[in-house]
Amino acid sequence: MIVPALNTNLDVQINSKPSIEIMDGGKAWRVVDASGNSGMVKIDRPMPDGTRLTSPENAHFLDAMHSSLSAIWGGADYEHTLTNVDSMRTSVANQYSWIYWLVDRGHRRLETVQPWDIEAYLHACAQGGSEGALNARERIRTALKQLRSSGFDITSVGLTDILEASNLSRNRWLNGVVEEVRGEILHGLKSKAAREKKNMSESALYSKGYAITLLHRLCGPGQTRLQFDPEDHVRDAISTVETGKQEGTRLIPIEAAMRLMDQAARWVISVAPVLLDFRELLVDLVKRKGALDEAEFVLRRNELLELVNADLHGLLPRPIVFDNRIQSGTLSVRSVFTRMLPAACYTCIGTLSGRRDIEIRSLRQGACSGTEETGYWLESYIGKNFQDTQRTPCSKLIVDAVAVLEMYAQIGTEDCEHGDLLFDMPQYGNPEKSARFNSSEALQDFADFVGASSLGVPTGERWPIARHQLRKLFAVLYVWRYDAGDLDALSYHLRHLNLQVTIRYCGSRDLFDEIDRQLGELTRRKIANMVKKTVGSAGIYAKKLTKLVERFLPELELATEGDLKKKLDRLTKAKGIVLRATPWGFCGCSDAPSHLRRAACRRDTTQPPNLEYDGRPDTTASDEGKCSGCIFFMSDTTRTPRWESACEKVRTELYSEHTVRLRKVRLQKNLRTLESFTSALTRAAV
């Protein structure tokens, strides 16, 4: 409902409520705030199909705008309110931009809008601002070409006329776009401003998302409205884009990440086989329901559920029930199959593959191939940079997760024709039909259920789990947490266009802080193993660390576990010790010039490899032979299989009848080095 304007006397306005008055036949609003400040807000704006926002065709959208904005104009009953003329103008512009985008894609009512429409709109805004969302540059270019073909001199056509011909509302930021495009058409040169356009900030994206939420929550009865709550979809979409001034997706706290991954793997490996057997028996029972009376059917169904809960005892924190109503402390069978199980599979695939949400949801049956001997591969669509299907090495857990989804798709659907998309899943109550998996809501539900969303947040609040957080978590797991990988390989897995993109991706504040913590944790863990003598080590740098530990041993021997960690933390910081993992050991070389001069990978080559993002040597050009003699290198028994494999590879080439004599001399020398290092690790492990 639109509140009529109050008396224009300023003293009266100051003591009255804010008001909105429809002016000029509905083409503008006159708004007055609580302080008596007033202003005009233009409403009669052009739409992409040539109509106006005030045209009868768009009455549904305009009514929704009226009711949603007037409901919070100066009100005190809502979490957020509009309190001044500028905030009202911004909200009107944001809602208009959203409606313009919808009309451009054929929507005539909000009921037809889907969650992915919101994601696509906010992604378009993030990458090109409102200009990108409205496709303004292309519309202006088309309008100028049409004007010129109609005989107009486009050098003298006014800005207002060009924008009207483009079906765009007159706006200050569009004036520069018009001049840029006009220059491109006249002179064939793109301006520097057009090439260096900045993305929209995160705060601006939230403002646009809030405008969408208003249209849903504050519409009047009977007006057009979304069929879903957009809040989570807005938040999730914003978290998956890298904005102009912000850092993109925040990294999930590592404690929450480890709980989420541990529980997802538990579901895929241990819980899923029980649930799939249960699902198959349940489907068979439902097919025979016509031959059973209701009491016997319910009895047999409950017996199946009791058996399943017995098998899942110790794997799930509480038993599952058939009651689909939301109750505290219960987990329904429907939510297990439509949310929890696919969410666990989604988590394993996303965290261990580094794929984006749209790429995971486009996975098809048969996506995994290979064997344990030859290695496993995941075939997925790479959307952002390549728009093509490609294969990537993957872990066995991804293969297991894909297999769970494939088996679930087959249960009860033998006589039905379903698509082969893994996340277009058979409906629980009607397997003959498919339903698109809601990855955003299900992932949050799964994280809440396993207790991951409440870990690692200093304020104690619930952590919102966004799907793109799994992709950034992959970078931590791949490179730092599990002592393997490097930035070049990470860049390949993430399908970035070049290494610099990956470096920027990993350079965000929260990810960089987590990398630093993981490097420190790795260093403390390796030195603690030396103190406890639980893991053998070898190498020049290992001897140096051993002497350092022995010097502090009297103090450390009496330390508790907590004290030991604190003392080692002070020791590593005081001595500047940071270990970085390689597939065959650990490098302790820093970015100091004196260290770089003495590092074997930098010294023993005419063209030293590039430095890493942190200024230390890039070890991707090194190998066991080169690192074994370096004063900054050590290894331990966790790398013994790698050293033994390297020895076997050299022996195979050394004793081949096709290897030339000079090559055998070098191989023999290399083999002695590798064998001495391997035997040292073997002795240390005894």
Tab-separated table of all heavy atoms in Angstrom, residues 268-296:
chain	number	residue	atom	x	y	z
A	268	VAL	N	30.089	-41.650	2.516
A	268	VAL	CA	30.295	-42.285	1.215
A	268	VAL	C	30.790	-43.722	1.378
A	268	VAL	O	30.332	-44.641	0.689
A	268	VAL	CB	31.284	-41.458	0.370
A	268	VAL	CG1	31.733	-42.237	-0.863
A	268	VAL	CG2	30.645	-40.142	-0.044
A	269	ILE	N	31.728	-43.934	2.293
A	269	ILE	CA	32.375	-45.241	2.418
A	269	ILE	C	31.566	-46.210	3.273
A	269	ILE	O	31.399	-47.387	2.913
A	269	ILE	CB	33.788	-45.073	3.009
A	269	ILE	CG1	34.669	-44.265	2.048
A	269	ILE	CG2	34.419	-46.428	3.293
A	269	ILE	CD1	36.024	-43.899	2.626
A	270	SER	N	31.023	-45.757	4.401
A	270	SER	CA	30.398	-46.664	5.370
A	270	SER	C	28.877	-46.573	5.415
A	270	SER	O	28.196	-47.596	5.537
A	270	SER	CB	30.966	-46.388	6.778
A	270	SER	OG	32.372	-46.524	6.786
A	271	VAL	N	28.336	-45.361	5.353
A	271	VAL	CA	26.892	-45.191	5.490
A	271	VAL	C	26.156	-45.511	4.196
A	271	VAL	O	25.093	-46.150	4.205
A	271	VAL	CB	26.557	-43.757	5.962
A	271	VAL	CG1	25.056	-43.549	6.053
A	271	VAL	CG2	27.219	-43.473	7.301
A	272	ALA	N	26.713	-45.078	3.060
A	272	ALA	CA	26.024	-45.230	1.773
A	272	ALA	C	25.670	-46.678	1.435
A	272	ALA	O	24.542	-46.942	0.984
A	272	ALA	CB	26.872	-44.618	0.653
A	273	PRO	N	26.574	-47.685	1.603
A	273	PRO	CA	26.187	-49.069	1.269
A	273	PRO	C	24.955	-49.544	2.037
A	273	PRO	O	24.086	-50.222	1.473
A	273	PRO	CB	27.438	-49.871	1.651
A	273	PRO	CG	28.564	-48.902	1.532
A	273	PRO	CD	27.998	-47.600	1.986
A	274	VAL	N	24.862	-49.182	3.314
A	274	VAL	CA	23.700	-49.571	4.116
A	274	VAL	C	22.440	-48.885	3.595
A	274	VAL	O	21.380	-49.510	3.440
A	274	VAL	CB	23.934	-49.227	5.600
A	274	VAL	CG1	22.711	-49.598	6.440
A	274	VAL	CG2	25.175	-49.923	6.117
A	275	LEU	N	22.539	-47.594	3.309
A	275	LEU	CA	21.368	-46.841	2.841
A	275	LEU	C	20.902	-47.318	1.468
A	275	LEU	O	19.692	-47.383	1.204
A	275	LEU	CB	21.704	-45.349	2.787
A	275	LEU	CG	21.927	-44.653	4.134
A	275	LEU	CD1	22.282	-43.192	3.918
A	275	LEU	CD2	20.696	-44.779	5.024
A	276	LEU	N	21.827	-47.644	0.578
A	276	LEU	CA	21.434	-48.102	-0.756
A	276	LEU	C	20.720	-49.448	-0.697
A	276	LEU	O	19.738	-49.672	-1.414
A	276	LEU	CB	22.666	-48.178	-1.655
A	276	LEU	CG	23.316	-46.840	-2.020
A	276	LEU	CD1	24.586	-47.055	-2.831
A	276	LEU	CD2	22.346	-45.953	-2.787
A	277	ASP	N	21.203	-50.351	0.165
A	277	ASP	CA	20.505	-51.628	0.350
A	277	ASP	C	19.111	-51.393	0.925
A	277	ASP	O	18.127	-52.027	0.513
A	277	ASP	CB	21.308	-52.539	1.277
A	277	ASP	CG	22.578	-53.060	0.621
A	277	ASP	OD1	22.663	-53.007	-0.628
A	277	ASP	OD2	23.487	-53.509	1.354
A	278	PHE	N	19.032	-50.486	1.883
A	278	PHE	CA	17.741	-50.153	2.489
A	278	PHE	C	16.791	-49.559	1.452
A	278	PHE	O	15.610	-49.919	1.398
A	278	PHE	CB	17.971	-49.176	3.642
A	278	PHE	CG	16.711	-48.575	4.198
A	278	PHE	CD1	15.680	-49.378	4.666
A	278	PHE	CD2	16.561	-47.197	4.265
A	278	PHE	CE1	14.517	-48.816	5.187
A	278	PHE	CE2	15.408	-46.632	4.783
A	278	PHE	CZ	14.391	-47.448	5.244
A	279	ARG	N	17.302	-48.685	0.623
A	279	ARG	CA	16.474	-48.057	-0.406
A	279	ARG	C	15.929	-49.095	-1.390
A	279	ARG	O	14.756	-49.051	-1.782
A	279	ARG	CB	17.295	-47.003	-1.156
A	279	ARG	CG	16.574	-46.308	-2.306
A	279	ARG	CD	15.385	-45.513	-1.828
A	279	ARG	NE	14.783	-44.743	-2.900
A	279	ARG	CZ	13.540	-44.275	-2.862
A	279	ARG	NH1	12.788	-44.505	-1.803
A	279	ARG	NH2	13.055	-43.584	-3.864
A	280	GLU	N	16.763	-50.047	-1.764
A	280	GLU	CA	16.334	-51.079	-2.708
A	280	GLU	C	15.252	-51.962	-2.094
A	280	GLU	O	14.246	-52.280	-2.739
A	280	GLU	CB	17.538	-51.919	-3.132
A	280	GLU	CG	17.243	-52.861	-4.281
A	280	GLU	CD	18.503	-53.455	-4.857
A	280	GLU	OE1	19.580	-53.297	-4.247
A	280	GLU	OE2	18.414	-54.088	-5.930
A	281	LEU	N	15.439	-52.370	-0.832
A	281	LEU	CA	14.424	-53.173	-0.156
A	281	LEU	C	13.130	-52.388	0.034
A	281	LEU	O	12.028	-52.943	-0.082
A	281	LEU	CB	14.958	-53.635	1.206
A	281	LEU	CG	16.128	-54.628	1.177
A	281	LEU	CD1	16.659	-54.850	2.588
A	281	LEU	CD2	15.696	-55.946	0.547
A	282	LEU	N	13.251	-51.107	0.315
A	282	LEU	CA	12.072	-50.266	0.518
A	282	LEU	C	11.286	-50.109	-0.776
A	282	LEU	O	10.050	-50.166	-0.783
A	282	LEU	CB	12.505	-48.902	1.054
A	282	LEU	CG	11.398	-47.967	1.545
A	282	LEU	CD1	10.634	-48.606	2.690
A	282	LEU	CD2	11.997	-46.631	1.974
A	283	VAL	N	11.984	-49.921	-1.900
A	283	VAL	CA	11.313	-49.794	-3.193
A	283	VAL	C	10.580	-51.094	-3.540
A	283	VAL	O	9.437	-51.080	-4.026
A	283	VAL	CB	12.330	-49.427	-4.291
A	283	VAL	CG1	11.695	-49.548	-5.671
A	283	VAL	CG2	12.836	-48.007	-4.079
A	284	ASP	N	11.230	-52.242	-3.285
A	284	ASP	CA	10.579	-53.530	-3.542
A	284	ASP	C	9.330	-53.692	-2.679
A	284	ASP	O	8.304	-54.219	-3.143
A	284	ASP	CB	11.553	-54.674	-3.252
A	284	ASP	CG	12.686	-54.743	-4.269
A	284	ASP	OD1	12.520	-54.175	-5.370
A	284	ASP	OD2	13.731	-55.337	-3.951
A	285	LEU	N	9.410	-53.247	-1.426
A	285	LEU	CA	8.258	-53.351	-0.540
A	285	LEU	C	7.109	-52.477	-1.033
A	285	LEU	O	5.943	-52.891	-1.006
A	285	LEU	CB	8.661	-52.958	0.880
A	285	LEU	CG	7.555	-53.016	1.946
A	285	LEU	CD1	7.029	-54.444	2.092
A	285	LEU	CD2	8.067	-52.494	3.286
A	286	VAL	N	7.422	-51.271	-1.505
A	286	VAL	CA	6.390	-50.363	-2.008
A	286	VAL	C	5.726	-50.955	-3.247
A	286	VAL	O	4.508	-50.816	-3.452
A	286	VAL	CB	7.004	-48.983	-2.309
A	286	VAL	CG1	6.006	-48.086	-3.035
A	286	VAL	CG2	7.459	-48.310	-1.021
A	287	LYS	N	6.495	-51.651	-4.098
A	287	LYS	CA	5.914	-52.268	-5.294
A	287	LYS	C	4.922	-53.365	-4.928
A	287	LYS	O	3.985	-53.645	-5.674
A	287	LYS	CB	7.032	-52.836	-6.163
A	287	LYS	CG	7.880	-51.775	-6.854
A	287	LYS	CD	8.967	-52.414	-7.709
A	287	LYS	CE	9.795	-51.354	-8.419
A	287	LYS	NZ	10.875	-51.947	-9.236
A	288	ARG	N	5.130	-54.021	-3.761
A	288	ARG	CA	4.233	-55.100	-3.331
A	288	ARG	C	3.159	-54.594	-2.367
A	288	ARG	O	2.446	-55.388	-1.749
A	288	ARG	CB	5.046	-56.204	-2.650
A	288	ARG	CG	5.993	-56.916	-3.607
A	288	ARG	CD	6.687	-58.117	-2.964
A	288	ARG	NE	7.661	-57.718	-1.961
A	288	ARG	CZ	7.539	-57.946	-0.666
A	288	ARG	NH1	6.449	-58.544	-0.199
A	288	ARG	NH2	8.481	-57.568	0.187
A	289	LYS	N	3.050	-53.269	-2.274
A	289	LYS	CA	2.105	-52.701	-1.310
A	289	LYS	C	0.673	-53.104	-1.615
A	289	LYS	O	-0.149	-53.302	-0.703
A	289	LYS	CB	2.238	-51.178	-1.311
A	289	LYS	CG	1.372	-50.482	-0.268
A	289	LYS	CD	1.609	-48.980	-0.267
A	289	LYS	CE	0.771	-48.306	0.807
A	289	LYS	NZ	0.989	-46.830	0.822
A	290	GLY	N	0.343	-53.262	-2.896
A	290	GLY	CA	-1.028	-53.622	-3.258
A	290	GLY	C	-1.437	-54.999	-2.779
A	290	GLY	O	-2.629	-55.279	-2.585
A	291	ALA	N	-0.464	-55.902	-2.577
A	291	ALA	CA	-0.768	-57.264	-2.125
A	291	ALA	C	-0.793	-57.378	-0.608
A	291	ALA	O	-1.038	-58.467	-0.076
A	291	ALA	CB	0.261	-58.241	-2.709
A	292	LEU	N	-0.514	-56.298	0.094
A	292	LEU	CA	-0.468	-56.313	1.553
A	292	LEU	C	-1.508	-55.356	2.108
A	292	LEU	O	-1.815	-54.322	1.493
A	292	LEU	CB	0.927	-55.902	2.051
A	292	LEU	CG	2.127	-56.705	1.532
A	292	LEU	CD1	3.422	-56.028	1.984
A	292	LEU	CD2	2.076	-58.145	2.040
A	293	ASP	N	-2.053	-55.695	3.273
A	293	ASP	CA	-2.932	-54.717	3.920
A	293	ASP	C	-2.064	-53.644	4.584
A	293	ASP	O	-0.856	-53.809	4.758
A	293	ASP	CB	-3.860	-55.380	4.934
A	293	ASP	CG	-3.097	-56.131	6.022
A	293	ASP	OD1	-2.155	-55.549	6.588
A	293	ASP	OD2	-3.444	-57.300	6.290
A	294	GLU	N	-2.678	-52.539	4.969
A	294	GLU	CA	-1.939	-51.384	5.463
A	294	GLU	C	-1.129	-51.709	6.713
A	294	GLU	O	0.024	-51.292	6.854
A	294	GLU	CB	-2.908	-50.240	5.765
A	294	GLU	CG	-2.239	-48.937	6.187
A	294	GLU	CD	-1.412	-48.326	5.060
A	294	GLU	OE1	-1.676	-48.640	3.878
A	294	GLU	OE2	-0.497	-47.533	5.356
A	295	ALA	N	-1.691	-52.477	7.600
A	295	ALA	CA	-0.996	-52.789	8.852
A	295	ALA	C	0.246	-53.629	8.603
A	295	ALA	O	1.307	-53.384	9.195
A	295	ALA	CB	-1.949	-53.517	9.802
A	296	GLU	N	0.117	-54.626	7.720
A	296	GLU	CA	1.273	-55.482	7.440
A	296	GLU	C	2.353	-54.704	6.705
A	296	GLU	O	3.550	-54.893	6.962
A	296	GLU	CB	0.843	-56.687	6.606
A	296	GLU	CG	1.967	-57.687	6.379
A	296	GLU	CD	1.508	-58.921	5.630
A	296	GLU	OE1	0.301	-58.981	5.283
A	296	GLU	OE2	2.355	-59.807	5.380
